[in-house]
Amino acid sequence: MSATDTSGSAKTVRAFPEGFVWGAATAAYQIEGAATADGRGPSVWDTFSHTPGKVRGGDTGDIACDFYNRSEEDLDLMKSLGLAAFRFSISWSRIQPTGSGAINQAGIDFYRRLVDGLREREIAPAITLFHWDLPQGLEDAGGWANRDTAERFADYAQIMAEAIGSDCDDWMTLNEPQVVANQGYRLGIHAPGVTDDAIAAATTHHLLLAHGLATQRLRSALPAAKLGLALNLNVVKAADSFAEAAAVVADAEQNRIFMDPILHGSYPAAARPHMLPPESLIEDGDMDLISTPLDFIGINYYAPFYLKRADGVVSTDRRTPTGGGDVVPFMPPHLPTTAMGWLIEPQGLYEMLKIVTSELPDKQSGCRLYITENGCAAEDYVDPNGVVNDVERISYLKGHLDAIWRAIQDGVPLDGYFQWSLLDNFEWAYGYQKRFGVVFVDFGTQKRTIKQSARVYQQIATTNELPHEWAGEGAGLIAGAV
Ligand code: FCB
Protein backbone atom coordinates (compact mmCIF):
# COMPACT_ATOMS: atom_id res chain seq x y z
CA MET A 1 0.00 0.00 0.00
CA SER A 2 1.46 3.38 -0.94
CA ALA A 3 0.43 6.79 0.28
CA THR A 4 1.66 10.31 -0.18
CA ASP A 5 2.23 12.47 2.84
CA THR A 6 1.17 16.12 3.07
CA SER A 7 4.60 17.37 2.03
CA GLY A 8 4.07 15.56 -1.26
CA SER A 9 6.90 13.07 -0.90
CA ALA A 10 6.01 9.46 -1.58
CA LYS A 11 6.14 7.03 1.30
CA THR A 12 5.17 3.45 1.71
CA VAL A 13 2.93 2.58 4.61
CA ARG A 14 3.19 -1.00 5.77
CA ALA A 15 0.55 -1.17 8.45
CA PHE A 16 -0.53 -4.22 10.43
CA PRO A 17 -4.18 -5.18 10.94
CA GLU A 18 -5.99 -3.28 13.65
CA GLY A 19 -5.57 -4.98 17.00
CA PHE A 20 -2.38 -6.80 15.95
CA VAL A 21 -0.62 -7.70 19.21
CA TRP A 22 2.96 -6.53 19.77
CA GLY A 23 4.49 -8.29 22.73
CA ALA A 24 7.63 -9.64 24.31
CA ALA A 25 8.26 -13.11 25.69
CA THR A 26 10.16 -14.61 28.62
CA ALA A 27 10.24 -17.86 30.60
CA ALA A 28 10.18 -18.39 34.36
CA TYR A 29 13.48 -20.17 34.88
CA GLN A 30 15.27 -17.77 32.55
CA ILE A 31 14.31 -14.58 34.41
CA GLU A 32 12.77 -15.12 37.84
CA GLY A 33 15.66 -16.20 40.07
CA ALA A 34 14.47 -16.52 43.71
CA ALA A 35 14.95 -20.24 43.23
CA THR A 36 14.16 -21.21 46.81
CA ALA A 37 11.97 -18.27 47.83
CA ASP A 38 8.54 -18.65 49.36
CA GLY A 39 8.35 -22.41 49.17
CA ARG A 40 9.40 -22.96 45.54
CA GLY A 41 10.53 -26.53 44.94
CA PRO A 42 13.40 -27.48 42.62
CA SER A 43 12.83 -28.13 38.93
CA VAL A 44 14.91 -30.23 36.57
CA TRP A 45 16.66 -27.05 35.48
CA ASP A 46 17.79 -26.30 39.04
CA THR A 47 19.26 -29.78 39.27
CA PHE A 48 20.81 -29.67 35.81
CA SER A 49 22.34 -26.21 36.13
CA HIS A 50 23.86 -27.16 39.48
CA THR A 51 25.48 -30.23 37.94
CA PRO A 52 29.08 -29.36 37.02
CA GLY A 53 29.78 -29.21 33.32
CA LYS A 54 26.18 -28.91 32.14
CA VAL A 55 25.88 -25.13 31.72
CA ARG A 56 28.51 -22.79 30.40
CA GLY A 57 30.52 -21.16 33.17
CA GLY A 58 28.56 -23.14 35.76
CA ASP A 59 25.80 -20.53 35.52
CA THR A 60 22.47 -21.27 37.20
CA GLY A 61 19.06 -19.61 37.30
CA ASP A 62 19.32 -19.02 41.06
CA ILE A 63 19.25 -15.23 40.58
CA ALA A 64 18.84 -14.74 36.81
CA CYS A 65 17.21 -11.31 36.24
CA ASP A 66 15.77 -11.35 39.76
CA PHE A 67 12.41 -10.74 38.10
CA TYR A 68 10.67 -12.33 41.09
CA ASN A 69 11.74 -9.37 43.21
CA ARG A 70 11.81 -6.72 40.51
CA SER A 71 8.62 -7.39 38.62
CA GLU A 72 7.08 -4.01 39.48
CA GLU A 73 9.90 -2.04 37.88
CA ASP A 74 10.04 -4.44 34.94
CA LEU A 75 6.31 -3.93 34.44
CA ASP A 76 6.92 -0.19 34.30
CA LEU A 77 9.65 -0.84 31.77
CA MET A 78 7.25 -2.86 29.60
CA LYS A 79 4.71 -0.08 29.80
CA SER A 80 7.31 2.50 28.79
CA LEU A 81 8.17 0.33 25.76
CA GLY A 82 4.58 0.38 24.56
CA LEU A 83 4.10 -3.39 24.78
CA ALA A 84 0.55 -4.61 24.35
CA ALA A 85 1.22 -8.10 25.69
CA PHE A 86 3.68 -10.00 27.86
CA ARG A 87 4.23 -13.71 27.38
CA PHE A 88 5.64 -15.35 30.50
CA SER A 89 5.65 -18.85 31.93
CA ILE A 90 4.64 -20.18 35.30
CA SER A 91 7.17 -22.03 37.39
CA TRP A 92 5.17 -25.20 38.15
CA SER A 93 7.30 -25.90 41.26
CA ARG A 94 6.32 -22.53 42.74
CA ILE A 95 2.70 -23.66 42.54
CA GLN A 96 3.21 -27.30 43.51
CA PRO A 97 6.74 -27.72 44.91
CA THR A 98 6.96 -31.40 43.98
CA GLY A 99 4.65 -31.21 40.97
CA SER A 100 1.57 -32.71 42.58
CA GLY A 101 -0.50 -32.36 45.69
CA ALA A 102 -0.83 -29.31 47.91
CA ILE A 103 -0.81 -25.82 46.45
CA ASN A 104 1.84 -23.33 47.58
CA GLN A 105 -0.25 -20.17 47.99
CA ALA A 106 2.82 -17.88 47.86
CA GLY A 107 3.47 -19.10 44.31
CA ILE A 108 -0.09 -18.37 43.24
CA ASP A 109 0.13 -14.93 44.88
CA PHE A 110 3.22 -14.02 42.85
CA TYR A 111 1.53 -14.74 39.52
CA ARG A 112 -1.69 -13.05 40.65
CA ARG A 113 0.27 -9.91 41.45
CA LEU A 114 2.00 -10.16 38.09
CA VAL A 115 -1.27 -10.52 36.18
CA ASP A 116 -2.86 -7.68 38.17
CA GLY A 117 0.19 -5.48 37.52
CA LEU A 118 -0.03 -6.18 33.80
CA ARG A 119 -3.73 -5.42 33.65
CA GLU A 120 -3.32 -2.18 35.60
CA ARG A 121 -0.90 -1.14 32.88
CA GLU A 122 -3.16 -2.41 30.09
CA ILE A 123 -0.66 -5.06 29.04
CA ALA A 124 -2.31 -8.36 28.16
CA PRO A 125 -0.85 -11.39 29.94
CA ALA A 126 -0.13 -14.46 27.79
CA ILE A 127 0.58 -17.45 30.01
CA THR A 128 2.69 -20.49 29.16
CA LEU A 129 2.14 -23.28 31.67
CA PHE A 130 5.25 -25.29 30.88
CA HIS A 131 8.47 -23.79 29.60
CA TRP A 132 10.78 -26.73 30.38
CA ASP A 133 11.10 -26.51 34.19
CA LEU A 134 9.48 -29.79 35.23
CA PRO A 135 9.32 -30.13 39.04
CA GLN A 136 12.17 -32.39 40.13
CA GLY A 137 9.71 -34.42 42.19
CA LEU A 138 7.98 -35.52 38.98
CA GLU A 139 11.26 -36.24 37.22
CA ASP A 140 12.17 -38.48 40.13
CA ALA A 141 8.94 -40.38 39.51
CA GLY A 142 9.85 -41.02 35.86
CA GLY A 143 9.43 -37.55 34.33
CA TRP A 144 7.75 -37.32 30.95
CA ALA A 145 8.41 -41.00 30.29
CA ASN A 146 5.69 -41.61 32.87
CA ARG A 147 2.15 -41.19 31.54
CA ASP A 148 1.04 -39.99 34.95
CA THR A 149 3.05 -36.76 34.46
CA ALA A 150 0.52 -35.74 31.80
CA GLU A 151 -2.30 -36.16 34.32
CA ARG A 152 -0.38 -34.14 36.90
CA PHE A 153 0.08 -31.41 34.31
CA ALA A 154 -3.66 -31.29 33.68
CA ASP A 155 -4.28 -30.86 37.42
CA TYR A 156 -1.77 -28.04 37.54
CA ALA A 157 -3.42 -26.39 34.51
CA GLN A 158 -6.72 -26.53 36.36
CA ILE A 159 -5.17 -24.93 39.45
CA MET A 160 -3.85 -22.04 37.35
CA ALA A 161 -7.13 -21.64 35.48
CA GLU A 162 -8.92 -21.27 38.80
CA ALA A 163 -6.29 -18.92 40.24
CA ILE A 164 -6.04 -16.53 37.29
CA GLY A 165 -9.44 -17.08 35.71
CA SER A 166 -10.61 -14.73 33.02
CA ASP A 167 -7.91 -12.18 33.86
CA CYS A 168 -5.80 -13.85 31.20
CA ASP A 169 -7.18 -14.37 27.70
CA ASP A 170 -4.28 -16.20 26.07
CA TRP A 171 -3.04 -19.53 27.44
CA MET A 172 -0.35 -21.81 26.09
CA THR A 173 0.04 -25.30 27.48
CA LEU A 174 3.59 -26.12 26.35
CA ASN A 175 6.59 -24.32 24.98
CA GLU A 176 8.59 -26.17 22.33
CA PRO A 177 7.89 -29.76 23.38
CA GLN A 178 10.22 -30.96 20.60
CA VAL A 179 13.17 -29.34 22.38
CA VAL A 180 12.21 -31.02 25.65
CA ALA A 181 12.05 -34.46 24.05
CA ASN A 182 15.10 -34.03 21.84
CA GLN A 183 17.52 -31.84 23.76
CA GLY A 184 16.35 -32.96 27.20
CA TYR A 185 15.80 -36.70 26.81
CA ARG A 186 17.53 -37.76 23.58
CA LEU A 187 20.68 -35.64 23.34
CA GLY A 188 21.01 -34.82 27.03
CA ILE A 189 22.17 -31.26 26.40
CA HIS A 190 19.21 -29.78 28.30
CA ALA A 191 17.65 -30.83 31.59
CA PRO A 192 17.20 -33.50 32.69
CA GLY A 193 20.21 -34.62 30.66
CA VAL A 194 18.87 -38.03 29.62
CA THR A 195 20.22 -39.75 26.47
CA ASP A 196 17.75 -42.46 25.64
CA ASP A 197 15.74 -42.77 22.42
CA ALA A 198 12.96 -44.79 24.01
CA ILE A 199 12.52 -42.32 26.85
CA ALA A 200 12.58 -39.43 24.36
CA ALA A 201 9.87 -41.10 22.27
CA ALA A 202 7.70 -41.71 25.33
CA THR A 203 8.28 -38.08 26.36
CA THR A 204 7.03 -36.98 22.95
CA HIS A 205 3.73 -38.76 23.41
CA HIS A 206 3.21 -37.78 27.02
CA LEU A 207 3.95 -34.12 26.36
CA LEU A 208 1.36 -34.16 23.59
CA LEU A 209 -1.07 -35.94 25.86
CA ALA A 210 -0.41 -33.37 28.60
CA HIS A 211 -1.24 -30.66 26.08
CA GLY A 212 -4.52 -32.36 25.15
CA LEU A 213 -5.60 -33.04 28.72
CA ALA A 214 -4.72 -29.54 29.90
CA THR A 215 -6.49 -27.96 26.92
CA GLN A 216 -9.62 -29.86 27.86
CA ARG A 217 -9.44 -28.66 31.48
CA LEU A 218 -8.71 -25.07 30.50
CA ARG A 219 -11.56 -25.12 27.99
CA SER A 220 -14.11 -26.18 30.57
CA ALA A 221 -12.79 -23.85 33.28
CA LEU A 222 -12.35 -20.85 30.96
CA PRO A 223 -14.72 -21.16 27.99
CA ALA A 224 -13.90 -17.68 26.67
CA ALA A 225 -10.11 -18.03 26.83
CA LYS A 226 -7.95 -18.48 23.74
CA LEU A 227 -5.97 -21.69 23.97
CA GLY A 228 -2.88 -22.81 22.11
CA LEU A 229 0.75 -23.85 22.49
CA ALA A 230 4.12 -22.71 21.18
CA LEU A 231 5.92 -24.94 18.68
CA ASN A 232 9.48 -24.43 17.50
CA LEU A 233 9.35 -24.72 13.74
CA ASN A 234 12.32 -24.54 11.38
CA VAL A 235 12.08 -24.87 7.63
CA VAL A 236 14.42 -27.68 6.58
CA LYS A 237 15.97 -27.24 3.14
CA ALA A 238 18.13 -29.40 0.92
CA ALA A 239 21.14 -27.58 -0.51
CA ASP A 240 21.60 -30.30 -3.16
CA SER A 241 19.33 -32.91 -4.70
CA PHE A 242 21.03 -35.71 -2.76
CA ALA A 243 19.89 -34.15 0.53
CA GLU A 244 16.22 -33.91 -0.47
CA ALA A 245 15.18 -37.26 0.98
CA ALA A 246 16.98 -36.58 4.26
CA ALA A 247 15.33 -33.15 4.46
CA VAL A 248 11.89 -34.77 4.34
CA VAL A 249 12.78 -37.07 7.23
CA ALA A 250 14.44 -34.25 9.17
CA ASP A 251 11.36 -32.05 8.70
CA ALA A 252 9.18 -34.87 10.03
CA GLU A 253 11.40 -35.37 13.07
CA GLN A 254 11.96 -31.69 13.79
CA ASN A 255 8.59 -30.10 12.99
CA ARG A 256 5.87 -32.57 12.12
CA ILE A 257 6.43 -34.90 15.03
CA PHE A 258 4.55 -32.35 17.16
CA MET A 259 2.69 -30.37 14.50
CA ASP A 260 0.98 -33.35 12.84
CA PRO A 261 -0.51 -34.88 16.00
CA ILE A 262 -1.81 -31.44 17.00
CA LEU A 263 -3.24 -30.56 13.59
CA HIS A 264 -4.14 -33.96 12.19
CA GLY A 265 -4.17 -36.39 15.10
CA SER A 266 -1.42 -38.61 13.66
CA TYR A 267 2.35 -38.98 13.82
CA PRO A 268 4.28 -38.26 10.60
CA ALA A 269 4.93 -41.37 8.55
CA ALA A 270 8.27 -39.99 7.36
CA ALA A 271 9.84 -39.99 10.83
CA ARG A 272 12.10 -42.94 11.66
CA PRO A 273 10.55 -45.53 13.98
CA HIS A 274 12.90 -44.93 16.92
CA MET A 275 11.80 -41.28 17.02
CA LEU A 276 8.13 -42.17 17.37
CA PRO A 277 6.25 -43.46 20.41
CA PRO A 278 5.50 -47.18 20.14
CA GLU A 279 1.88 -48.20 19.59
CA SER A 280 1.85 -49.70 23.08
CA LEU A 281 2.01 -46.20 24.59
CA ILE A 282 -0.83 -44.77 22.50
CA GLU A 283 -4.14 -45.48 24.18
CA ASP A 284 -7.57 -45.24 22.58
CA GLY A 285 -8.67 -41.64 22.39
CA ASP A 286 -5.19 -40.17 22.85
CA MET A 287 -4.85 -38.84 19.32
CA ASP A 288 -8.31 -37.20 19.42
CA LEU A 289 -7.42 -35.54 22.66
CA ILE A 290 -4.10 -34.33 21.27
CA SER A 291 -5.76 -32.84 18.18
CA THR A 292 -8.45 -31.08 20.16
CA PRO A 293 -9.39 -27.78 18.42
CA LEU A 294 -7.26 -24.79 19.38
CA ASP A 295 -7.72 -21.06 19.07
CA PHE A 296 -4.15 -20.46 17.98
CA ILE A 297 -0.87 -22.11 17.15
CA GLY A 298 2.14 -20.21 18.45
CA ILE A 299 5.20 -20.41 16.24
CA ASN A 300 8.68 -19.89 17.63
CA TYR A 301 10.88 -19.18 14.65
CA TYR A 302 14.58 -18.47 14.72
CA ALA A 303 16.38 -20.07 11.80
CA PRO A 304 16.16 -22.44 8.84
CA PHE A 305 18.18 -25.65 8.62
CA TYR A 306 20.07 -26.56 5.45
CA LEU A 307 21.41 -30.02 4.66
CA LYS A 308 23.88 -31.15 2.02
CA ARG A 309 25.49 -34.42 1.00
CA ALA A 310 28.16 -35.36 3.55
CA ASP A 311 30.86 -36.33 1.07
CA GLY A 312 32.93 -37.79 3.89
CA VAL A 313 32.63 -34.71 6.12
CA VAL A 314 31.72 -35.51 9.72
CA SER A 315 29.75 -32.85 11.56
CA THR A 316 29.86 -32.20 15.30
CA ASP A 317 26.58 -30.22 15.16
CA ARG A 318 24.02 -32.33 17.01
CA ARG A 319 21.27 -29.72 17.04
CA THR A 320 20.55 -29.70 13.31
CA PRO A 321 18.34 -32.67 12.39
CA THR A 322 19.73 -34.80 9.57
CA GLY A 323 17.01 -37.42 9.31
CA GLY A 324 19.74 -40.05 9.57
CA GLY A 325 20.81 -39.49 5.97
CA ASP A 326 24.39 -39.31 4.76
CA VAL A 327 24.14 -35.54 4.99
CA VAL A 328 25.61 -32.75 7.10
CA PRO A 329 24.33 -29.33 8.15
CA PHE A 330 25.19 -26.68 5.60
CA MET A 331 25.67 -22.96 6.15
CA PRO A 332 24.94 -21.15 2.87
CA PRO A 333 27.75 -18.60 2.56
CA HIS A 334 25.37 -15.82 1.49
CA LEU A 335 23.38 -16.02 4.73
CA PRO A 336 24.58 -14.17 7.83
CA THR A 337 24.49 -15.79 11.27
CA THR A 338 23.67 -14.61 14.78
CA ALA A 339 25.85 -14.78 17.88
CA MET A 340 24.40 -18.27 18.40
CA GLY A 341 25.76 -19.26 15.00
CA TRP A 342 22.20 -19.62 13.76
CA LEU A 343 21.42 -18.75 10.15
CA ILE A 344 19.45 -15.58 9.48
CA GLU A 345 16.83 -16.10 6.77
CA PRO A 346 13.60 -14.14 7.24
CA GLN A 347 12.15 -15.77 4.15
CA GLY A 348 12.15 -19.03 6.16
CA LEU A 349 9.68 -17.44 8.54
CA TYR A 350 7.46 -16.39 5.63
CA GLU A 351 7.60 -19.93 4.23
CA MET A 352 6.83 -21.54 7.59
CA LEU A 353 3.83 -19.27 8.11
CA LYS A 354 2.50 -20.24 4.69
CA ILE A 355 3.07 -23.95 5.35
CA VAL A 356 1.24 -23.94 8.67
CA THR A 357 -1.62 -21.88 7.23
CA SER A 358 -2.05 -24.22 4.29
CA GLU A 359 -2.13 -27.25 6.57
CA LEU A 360 -4.71 -26.03 9.08
CA PRO A 361 -7.34 -28.78 8.79
CA ASP A 362 -11.10 -28.32 8.97
CA LYS A 363 -11.01 -29.53 12.55
CA GLN A 364 -8.84 -26.52 13.34
CA SER A 365 -10.82 -24.04 11.25
CA GLY A 366 -10.80 -20.68 12.94
CA CYS A 367 -7.40 -21.42 14.42
CA ARG A 368 -5.22 -18.31 14.27
CA LEU A 369 -1.44 -17.95 14.41
CA TYR A 370 0.91 -16.01 16.65
CA ILE A 371 4.64 -15.65 16.43
CA THR A 372 5.25 -16.51 20.07
CA GLU A 373 9.04 -16.11 19.81
CA ASN A 374 11.44 -14.56 17.33
CA GLY A 375 14.68 -12.75 17.95
CA CYS A 376 18.43 -13.12 17.98
CA ALA A 377 21.45 -13.20 20.24
CA ALA A 378 24.04 -10.53 19.58
CA GLU A 379 27.27 -9.47 21.23
CA ASP A 380 25.70 -6.49 22.95
CA TYR A 381 27.53 -4.14 25.29
CA VAL A 382 26.93 -0.78 26.92
CA ASP A 383 29.13 1.68 25.04
CA PRO A 384 30.97 4.64 26.63
CA ASN A 385 27.88 6.80 26.09
CA GLY A 386 25.75 4.37 28.04
CA VAL A 387 24.04 3.19 24.85
CA VAL A 388 23.50 -0.39 23.61
CA ASN A 389 23.50 0.08 19.86
CA ASP A 390 22.37 -3.38 18.81
CA VAL A 391 22.28 -2.84 15.06
CA GLU A 392 22.41 -6.60 14.48
CA ARG A 393 19.13 -7.10 16.32
CA ILE A 394 17.49 -4.17 14.56
CA SER A 395 18.53 -5.71 11.27
CA TYR A 396 17.15 -9.11 12.30
CA LEU A 397 13.92 -7.47 13.38
CA LYS A 398 13.64 -5.57 10.14
CA GLY A 399 13.99 -8.69 8.02
CA HIS A 400 11.56 -10.77 10.07
CA LEU A 401 8.89 -8.11 10.48
CA ASP A 402 9.01 -7.52 6.76
CA ALA A 403 8.46 -11.28 6.33
CA ILE A 404 5.43 -11.39 8.61
CA TRP A 405 3.95 -8.29 7.02
CA ARG A 406 4.20 -9.97 3.62
CA ALA A 407 2.74 -13.18 5.02
CA ILE A 408 -0.29 -11.29 6.32
CA GLN A 409 -0.78 -9.65 2.91
CA ASP A 410 -0.71 -13.17 1.46
CA GLY A 411 -3.50 -14.44 3.69
CA VAL A 412 -1.75 -15.80 6.79
CA PRO A 413 -4.10 -15.41 9.81
CA LEU A 414 -1.44 -13.91 12.07
CA ASP A 415 -2.67 -12.00 15.11
CA GLY A 416 0.47 -11.04 16.94
CA TYR A 417 4.23 -11.11 17.32
CA PHE A 418 6.24 -11.64 20.51
CA GLN A 419 9.85 -10.60 20.54
CA TRP A 420 12.25 -13.02 22.24
CA SER A 421 13.13 -11.63 24.63
CA LEU A 422 12.22 -8.74 26.86
CA LEU A 423 15.39 -9.08 28.94
CA ASP A 424 18.79 -10.65 28.49
CA ASN A 425 18.45 -13.82 30.54
CA PHE A 426 19.65 -17.31 31.43
CA GLU A 427 19.97 -18.86 27.99
CA TRP A 428 19.78 -22.48 29.13
CA ALA A 429 23.00 -24.43 28.48
CA TYR A 430 24.68 -21.21 27.31
CA GLY A 431 24.13 -19.51 30.66
CA TYR A 432 24.36 -15.72 30.68
CA GLN A 433 26.77 -15.58 27.80
CA LYS A 434 24.13 -15.20 25.07
CA ARG A 435 22.07 -12.03 25.08
CA PHE A 436 18.64 -12.12 23.42
CA GLY A 437 16.95 -9.19 25.18
CA VAL A 438 15.74 -5.89 23.79
CA VAL A 439 16.68 -4.69 27.27
CA PHE A 440 20.28 -5.18 28.41
CA VAL A 441 20.77 -6.65 31.87
CA ASP A 442 23.98 -6.12 33.82
CA PHE A 443 23.77 -9.35 35.79
CA GLY A 444 26.17 -8.13 38.47
CA THR A 445 24.07 -5.09 39.39
CA GLN A 446 20.69 -6.02 37.80
CA LYS A 447 20.71 -2.63 36.06
CA ARG A 448 18.50 -2.58 32.97
CA THR A 449 19.49 -0.53 29.90
CA ILE A 450 17.03 -0.16 27.06
CA LYS A 451 18.73 -1.22 23.82
CA GLN A 452 18.26 0.69 20.57
CA SER A 453 16.25 -2.25 19.19
CA ALA A 454 13.69 -1.73 21.95
CA ARG A 455 13.25 1.86 20.78
CA VAL A 456 12.62 0.69 17.23
CA TYR A 457 10.22 -1.98 18.51
CA GLN A 458 8.44 0.59 20.66
CA GLN A 459 7.84 2.76 17.60
CA ILE A 460 6.43 -0.22 15.70
CA ALA A 461 4.26 -1.32 18.62
CA THR A 462 2.78 2.13 19.10
CA THR A 463 2.25 3.02 15.42
CA ASN A 464 1.29 -0.52 14.32
CA GLU A 465 3.30 -0.11 11.16
CA LEU A 466 6.85 -0.67 9.98
CA PRO A 467 9.19 2.33 9.97
CA HIS A 468 8.90 4.17 6.68
CA GLU A 469 12.67 4.23 6.30
CA TRP A 470 12.58 0.42 6.10
CA ALA A 471 10.54 0.51 2.92
CA GLY A 472 12.00 -0.15 -0.46
CA GLU A 473 14.75 -2.47 0.68
CA GLY A 474 12.62 -5.58 0.61
CA ALA A 475 13.56 -8.20 3.17
CA GLY A 476 17.22 -7.26 2.93
CA LEU A 477 19.39 -6.87 5.97
CA ILE A 478 21.08 -3.62 6.91
CA ALA A 479 24.36 -3.76 5.04
CA GLY A 480 27.30 -4.38 7.31
CA ALA A 481 25.13 -4.88 10.35
CA VAL A 482 25.62 -8.58 10.74
C1 FCB B 1 13.78 -21.01 22.37
C2 FCB B 1 13.29 -21.08 23.79
C3 FCB B 1 13.56 -19.84 24.60
C4 FCB B 1 14.90 -19.24 24.27
C5 FCB B 1 15.07 -19.08 22.78
C6 FCB B 1 16.39 -18.44 22.38
O1 FCB B 1 14.02 -22.28 21.89
O2 FCB B 1 11.91 -21.33 23.83
O3 FCB B 1 13.42 -20.14 25.96
O4 FCB B 1 15.91 -19.98 24.84
O5 FCB B 1 14.97 -20.33 22.18
Side-chain angles (χ1 to χ4, degrees):
M1 179 182 11
S2 280
T4 305
D5 68 19
T6 46
S7 67
S9 62
K11 66 175 184 180
T12 303
V13 177
R14 288 184 297 166
F16 283 78
E18 209 185 316
F20 190 82
V21 175
W22 296 101
T26 58
Y29 191 72
Q30 296 183 273
I31 64 164
E32 286 180 2
T36 55
D38 301 334
R40 179 183 179 275
S43 76
V44 292
W45 268 97
D46 294 271
T47 310
F48 190 76
S49 66
H50 280 270
T51 307
K54 297 298 185 191
V55 174
R56 190 173 176 123
D59 291 346
T60 74
D62 287 0
I63 300 173
C65 307
D66 197 28
F67 179 76
Y68 188 80
N69 296 307
R70 292 166 198 265
S71 57
E72 277 294 310
E73 55 184 276
D74 286 337
L75 286 167
D76 289 341
L77 188 63
M78 291 179 220
K79 183 70 192 165
S80 79
L81 293 178
L83 297 181
F86 178 51
R87 175 178 176 231
F88 61 96
S89 78
I90 310 272
S91 159
W92 184 349
S93 62
R94 275 195 205 289
I95 306 300
Q96 291 176 295
T98 58
S100 60
I103 296 172
N104 174 36
Q105 190 56 40
I108 301 269
D109 294 345
F110 170 66
Y111 293 108
R112 267 256 49 113
R113 282 197 303 278
L114 180 56
V115 167
D116 291 344
L118 287 165
R119 290 175 65 87
E120 276 159 26
R121 292 167 180 81
E122 295 177 320
I123 302 170
I127 290 179
T128 308
L129 289 170
F130 178 70
H131 199 126
W132 304 356
D133 44 358
L134 186 72
Q136 184 63 43
L138 291 181
E139 182 57 32
D140 295 343
W144 288 110
N146 183 353
R147 189 176 170 100
D148 186 60
T149 299
E151 299 286 349
R152 302 288 68 79
F153 181 71
D155 290 348
Y156 152 64
Q158 173 109 31
I159 293 169
M160 291 317 301
E162 284 165 11
I164 305 295
S166 57
D167 286 332
C168 177
D169 288 332
D170 290 301
W171 294 76
M172 280 149 277
T173 54
L174 309 177
N175 179 73
E176 301 192 352
Q178 187 271 341
V179 174
V180 178
N182 202 55
Q183 264 89 310
Y185 291 86
R186 179 172 289 106
L187 300 176
I189 55 180
H190 277 190
V194 174
T195 49
D196 186 307
D197 281 343
I199 291 179
T203 292
T204 296
H205 189 64
H206 296 147
L207 278 164
L208 283 162
L209 188 64
H211 160 76
L213 290 167
T215 301
Q216 222 178 31
R217 299 277 195 102
L218 292 169
R219 185 74 77 204
S220 61
L222 304 171
K226 288 187 279 162
L227 309 181
L229 84 171
L231 297 175
N232 53 305
L233 299 177
N234 307 73
V235 277
V236 183
K237 303 185 185 194
D240 54 40
S241 56
F242 177 84
E244 278 166 17
V248 171
V249 181
D251 174 46
E253 296 177 354
Q254 176 74 18
N255 301 311
R256 294 180 183 280
I257 192 161
F258 283 90
M259 189 168 102
D260 284 9
I262 300 266
L263 293 184
H264 309 295
S266 56
Y267 284 103
R272 288 168 294 162
H274 74 275
M275 301 290 286
L276 294 173
E279 284 298 323
S280 58
L281 289 187
I282 306 174
E283 296 186 6
D284 282 354
D286 281 6
M287 300 314 288
D288 274 347
L289 203 56
I290 290 168
S291 57
T292 193
L294 297 175
D295 302 293
F296 67 91
I297 304 282
I299 298 173
N300 295 357
Y301 175 87
Y302 288 92
F305 288 131
Y306 278 82
L307 299 174
K308 74 169 175 100
R309 184 185 199 129
D311 278 332
V313 173
V314 178
S315 168
T316 54
D317 172 353
R318 294 197 297 158
R319 196 179 150 270
T320 304
T322 61
D326 188 20
V327 295
V328 283
F330 174 65
M331 305 294 276
H334 68 282
L335 293 180
T337 54
T338 71
M340 297 293 279
W342 297 352
L343 290 167
I344 303 177
E345 193 182 38
Q347 181 64 13
L349 174 55
Y350 174 90
E351 289 164 14
M352 190 44 88
L353 282 166
K354 293 287 282 182
I355 291 169
V356 177
T357 303
S358 71
E359 294 196 13
L360 288 174
D362 289 348
K363 187 175 178 187
Q364 299 284 8
S365 66
C367 183
R368 310 284 299 177
L369 304 183
Y370 279 126
I371 301 297
T372 34
E373 286 180 29
N374 175 242
C376 71
E379 282 162 15
D380 304 319
Y381 55 93
V382 182
D383 75 12
N385 298 313
V387 174
V388 182
N389 192 16
D390 55 339
V391 288
E392 297 85 353
R393 187 167 293 99
I394 294 170
S395 175
Y396 186 97
L397 195 60
K398 173 177 183 289
H400 289 80
L401 293 187
D402 173 86
I404 66 167
W405 184 80
R406 287 187 291 116
I408 293 170
Q409 309 316 300
D410 294 346
V412 169
L414 188 69
D415 284 348
Y417 173 92
F418 289 80
Q419 174 70 211
W420 184 272
S421 179
L422 176 69
L423 303 167
D424 292 337
N425 59 45
F426 175 80
E427 177 47 36
W428 307 114
Y430 293 88
Y432 296 101
Q433 196 223 12
K434 299 295 183 194
R435 295 181 174 276
F436 273 92
V438 291
V439 174
F440 186 92
V441 177
D442 177 331
F443 291 105
T445 63
Q446 293 296 343
K447 182 176 180 331
R448 277 69 164 139
T449 304
I450 293 172
K451 301 181 193 179
Q452 294 302 98
S453 60
R455 296 292 179 207
V456 173
Y457 194 56
Q458 173 184 29
Q459 183 196 327
I460 296 165
T462 46
T463 60
N464 201 28
E465 59 183 46
L466 299 181
H468 299 162
E469 59 274 22
W470 282 2
E473 295 171 49
L477 301 162
I478 296 171
V482 283

